[in-house]
Amino acid sequence: MSIYNRQAAVDYANTWWNSNNPAYPVFDVDCTNYISQCLRAGGAPMRGYPNRNKGWWIRGGTWSFSWSTSHALRWYLETSRTGLQAVKVASAWELKLGDVISYDFQGDGRFDHTTIVTGFNENGEPLVNAHTVFARQRNWRYTTSPAYSDDTRYIFFHIKDSFT
């Protein structure tokens, strides 16, 4: 069993929020790759190699879809019962440092952005970091993003504190 080190995940997120770690590939749409790196820095265990459709992993110049794609990570977090695991919670106010938010900006059921909670504002609302467009300590709602619409839907994932 391993423990999720939330502070290590946040420290990584704050170190690399506006640049790319040369130890990892960079994608045109890099948000989920960045979040996966943060989760990994926090000690989240990888599993599933070499099947790109299963598990959550990066190794040998390739990676799982859940490592790099928002929609795939959303489903992985919702369904994983071993390794990296999360629990859906009802609101942003239930999130802790190192937790993850998935965004469906069009409201079409396809999740297209991922962020990590790195702080809280004076009202207790999560602040998040992200890539694709570098963001640090941004309000979790993303209402100032050009991608935001009135149809935006969110899924809030509390990363479990220990992994089997």
Side-chain angles (χ1 to χ4, degrees):
M1 181 167 64
S2 58
I3 303 297
Y4 184 47
N5 184 332
R6 294 175 180 284
Q7 191 58 55
V10 169
D11 290 346
Y12 185 95
N14 287 330
T15 298
W16 294 103
W17 76 272
N18 65 345
S19 61
N20 297 301
N21 183 338
Y24 291 96
V26 178
F27 300 89
D28 289 340
V29 179
D30 198 55
C31 61
T32 305
N33 174 47
Y34 167 71
I35 299 310
S36 289
Q37 292 172 40
C38 296
L39 293 168
R40 185 72 185 128
M46 296 187 289
R47 68 175 179 87
Y49 175 84
N51 187 336
R52 295 189 78 194
N53 292 308
K54 298 215 184 221
W56 173 82
W57 56 269
I58 188 167
R59 181 174 162 191
T62 190
W63 47 85
S64 64
F65 294 118
S66 61
W67 180 278
S68 61
T69 307
S70 298
H71 194 68
L73 180 61
R74 169 255 196 264
W75 279 112
Y76 180 81
L77 291 175
E78 189 164 325
T79 62
S80 178
R81 301 296 172 248
T82 60
L84 171 60
Q85 298 171 61
V87 175
K88 278 178 36 175
V89 294
S91 77
W93 286 264
E94 296 176 67
L95 297 173
K96 295 181 181 179
L97 290 175
D99 285 342
V100 172
I101 303 174
S102 292
Y103 298 75
D104 170 6
F105 288 123
Q106 291 79 35
D108 61 3
R110 183 124 187 112
F111 285 76
D112 31 44
H113 191 55
T114 313
T115 65
I116 186 168
V117 176
T118 57
F120 297 90
N121 69 15
E122 63 278 355
N123 298 321
E125 288 186 276
L127 300 173
V128 297
N129 285 20
H131 268 201
T132 303
V133 174
F134 296 143
R136 182 173 188 272
Q137 301 282 293
R138 186 176 194 161
N139 184 281
W140 69 272
R141 286 185 170 95
Y142 255 68
T143 55
T144 59
S145 168
Y148 178 84
S149 76
D150 289 339
D151 296 323
T152 297
R153 293 182 22 217
Y154 311 90
I155 297 179
F156 308 108
F157 289 107
H158 171 67
I159 305 300
K160 289 190 176 182
D161 290 321
S162 60
F163 311 109
T164 55

